[in-house]
Amino acid sequence: MALFGMLQACSTLPSNEGADVQAHPPALHQDDTAPSAPDTGVRADPTRPKSAERKSKVPAPEPVDAAATPTDTDLWARFTEAADDLKCDRLDARSARWLAHYVREAATFKMELRRALPLIILVADELERRGLPLQFAMLPMVESQYGAPRSSGNRPAGLWQLMPRTARGLGVAIQSDYDGRLDFLRATEAAADLLDHLSKQFHGDWRLTNMAFNAGEFRVKASLRGSLDANAPFEQLGLSKITLHHLAKVQALTCLLAQAHLHGIELPDARAQEILQPVPITKPIATGFLAHLAGLDIAGFRRWNPALRGEFTPVQKTLHVLLPLRAAESLSAALRIIPADTWPNWGLIAISSEAERQRMLTRYADQLDAIRVANGGKADAAPTRLWLPIGASRKQRLPEAAPIHNASDVHVIRKGDTLWDIARHHGLALRLLMAWNRLDAKSVLRPGQLIRLRQPP
């Protein structure tokens, strides 16, 4: 069973949308009663968190600059500072119980922490830019184990477990080829917007803000209005135990990170972790081509970009792909050379001979720089396949005596295509189609790959 089971979806900002309750970890099932000691949070404290002094407008992501200095990643020192106000040495009973649970599961905790570390750094940096308490960086650990779980219908999804209505209210797109709740960067920006709003509503009290994120703003406000004692412990507010345990988990995890050495836990080196960087995508482009330009396989690319559902990136005004720094630098450098207007046209085509390679390079002579970049400098060698802007308009034409391919000469592989279907659709013999494209029965077809429909000259 996962260490940090998902508890409940974030309620919607304007309408207090209900959340789905999921199973608790075993320790919670063993005793579902409220702890005897009350929570120590002060509900009406108007003082803003110390980090609020650093609040600033979030800058729009820029293309990656290889010379840029990465954000300071002394993450654990920042957690130690953030925990100063949590009274980790005098935790309430519920938080102390969860802290003990995580310490018992130290091996699993360290494994999950190491896997999630690049995203924790991303979230922590965003929270710090917004002047929000760093303990909110543990919200995704409680909500999703820092993953990107998918869902369908009116159910939560993604890193922050946003409900569809909540996400759309925060400006997050959800469509057939893109679910912004699964976009680590976009979802974090939206969640920070929500947390900032809730923090203002509850006068900077991070505990009330955390409970409102879990249970809904209006539900928490109603509980506060119904309380006869303004300083009553959270236990007496009438909120669900799920919400109270949610808060306790966030507090326990923050204290564990701040005092890991006291519990015999060695934290991974955050300074050695490669930073994730966004790269802006202004035109639709094949995800396979993006992965190639970044120097990653498609699985490595999708690990950081699970929101991209289709073979091509969607048409979005502010779409970014998120990649480790080196991959982001490679992709950004390549996209600066390859004209954006040609991005949707690039595909992978089989080259059957040296003569054909020369013809293709002559055909796209006006884009040789982009072709060399797209093929890693190997366009002038003797590759069996080349990335080419097949669908692009071309000013330069070959002499009439030299046969060329036009739009009807190739088929662009889409998901579900088979060679047999392609051959039948175009009235070709399967064996000829395979021979022209240097394929056999074991060949794997990839989305965006170009299949020749004419015999090469």
Side-chain angles (χ1 to χ4, degrees):
M1 178 177 292
L3 176 60
F4 309 107
M6 177 175 61
L7 284 180
Q8 186 177 13
C10 165
S11 67
T12 184
L13 175 59
S15 65
N16 194 28
E17 189 173 30
D20 295 289
V21 180
Q22 306 231 354
H24 301 294
L28 188 55
H29 278 305
Q30 294 167 5
D31 179 11
D32 199 26
T33 59
S36 56
D39 290 284
T40 59
V42 179
R43 295 185 288 102
D45 182 4
T47 304
R48 292 287 290 169
K50 294 179 180 180
S51 57
E53 299 173 0
R54 298 190 296 270
K55 186 172 181 181
S56 61
K57 186 177 180 181
V58 180
E62 298 290 340
V64 176
D65 181 355
T69 302
T71 304
D72 175 25
T73 57
D74 189 8
L75 186 65
W76 312 133
R78 291 153 67 187
F79 268 98
T80 300
E81 180 183 355
D84 285 347
D85 297 330
L86 301 189
K87 301 178 182 178
C88 293
D89 56 337
R90 291 182 286 123
L91 288 176
D92 62 90
R94 182 178 282 109
S95 297
R97 187 168 133 211
W98 275 111
L99 178 60
H101 171 78
Y102 295 135
V103 171
R104 287 195 303 270
E105 301 291 339
T108 304
F109 174 75
K110 289 195 293 184
M111 179 182 67
E112 294 291 344
L113 195 64
R114 189 175 296 107
R115 175 190 58 79
L117 189 51
L119 293 174
I120 296 175
I121 294 172
L122 176 80
V123 170
D125 286 348
E126 181 68 12
L127 293 173
E128 189 168 66
R129 281 194 291 268
R130 303 290 189 101
L132 292 166
L134 187 61
Q135 47 266 42
F136 289 145
M138 288 296 97
L139 267 171
M141 188 67 87
V142 174
E143 295 284 352
S144 68
Q145 291 181 265
Y146 263 95
R150 299 178 182 273
S151 69
S152 59
N154 189 35
R155 296 187 62 81
L159 187 72
W160 295 87
Q161 286 293 280
L162 298 175
M163 295 289 285
R165 185 174 178 180
T166 304
R168 291 190 174 100
L170 293 166
V172 177
I174 303 174
Q175 54 199 57
S176 60
D177 57 354
Y178 172 81
D179 186 341
R181 296 175 298 170
L182 308 182
D183 184 325
F184 295 130
L185 179 63
R186 183 68 192 94
T188 296
E189 292 171 344
D193 287 341
L194 178 57
L195 289 168
D196 186 59
H197 166 82
L198 294 173
S199 183
K200 290 182 174 69
Q201 296 299 306
F202 295 103
H203 308 290
D205 189 317
W206 82 267
R207 293 173 177 86
L208 288 175
T209 299
N210 187 96
M211 290 192 291
F213 185 93
N214 176 256
E217 173 187 345
F218 303 113
R219 189 173 302 169
V220 174
K221 284 183 175 179
S223 297
L224 291 172
R225 285 194 296 269
S227 176
L228 298 178
D229 182 359
N231 295 312
F234 293 144
E235 294 283 353
Q236 299 178 18
L237 288 181
L239 294 169
S240 72
K241 291 179 181 178
I242 288 175
T243 297
L244 296 176
H245 279 290
H246 188 281
L247 171 63
K249 286 183 175 187
V250 171
Q251 182 156 295
L253 286 167
T254 304
C255 287
L256 181 57
L257 292 178
Q259 300 180 340
H261 62 287
L262 298 180
H263 302 285
I265 295 177
E266 183 179 356
L267 299 176
D269 185 357
R271 287 187 178 275
Q273 182 66 47
E274 190 168 37
I275 302 300
L276 296 174
Q277 292 282 359
V279 179
I281 303 298
T282 57
K283 297 281 186 179
I285 186 170
T287 53
F289 190 40
L290 285 176
H292 166 74
L293 295 177
L296 301 173
D297 59 25
I298 192 64
F301 178 83
R302 291 192 183 280
R303 176 190 176 189
W304 304 114
N305 298 278
L308 300 178
R309 295 174 167 180
E311 298 164 16
F312 285 80
T313 59
V315 178
Q316 291 281 341
K317 187 176 181 180
T318 56
L319 179 69
H320 293 78
V321 296
L322 192 65
L323 295 169
L325 181 60
R326 295 185 186 90
E329 289 172 346
S330 296
L331 175 60
S332 185
L335 293 181
R336 284 196 290 267
I337 301 299
I338 301 172
D341 289 342
T342 71
W343 290 0
N345 305 313
W346 286 80
L348 194 60
I349 186 169
I351 302 296
S352 61
S353 66
E354 172 64 17
E356 182 184 17
R357 183 180 67 82
Q358 290 295 342
R359 279 194 296 272
M360 297 305 288
L361 294 181
T362 302
R363 183 187 185 196
Y364 297 101
D366 57 336
Q367 299 188 59
L368 280 182
D369 288 343
I371 291 172
R372 290 188 175 108
V373 168
N375 290 279
K378 298 178 181 179
D380 297 315
T384 58
R385 296 186 298 175
L386 277 178
W387 286 96
L388 294 169
I390 294 298
S393 59
R394 295 170 297 277
K395 298 178 181 179
Q396 183 167 338
R397 299 289 182 178
L398 296 176
E400 289 299 322
I404 62 173
H405 295 293
N406 54 42
S408 64
D409 290 334
V410 294
H411 174 88
V412 180
I413 293 295
R414 300 285 184 179
K415 187 176 181 180
D417 279 353
T418 67
L419 286 177
W420 186 84
D421 289 334
I422 297 170
R424 185 181 63 169
H425 179 76
H426 292 281
L428 300 172
L430 179 59
R431 61 179 180 81
L432 293 178
L433 193 67
M434 295 172 68
W436 295 343
N437 291 278
R438 304 177 69 181
L439 301 172
D440 56 34
K442 296 182 180 180
S443 298
V444 177
L445 301 181
R446 296 177 174 83
Q449 181 178 346
L450 301 181
I451 297 299
R452 185 191 308 279
L453 302 177
R454 300 287 182 271
Q455 182 176 5

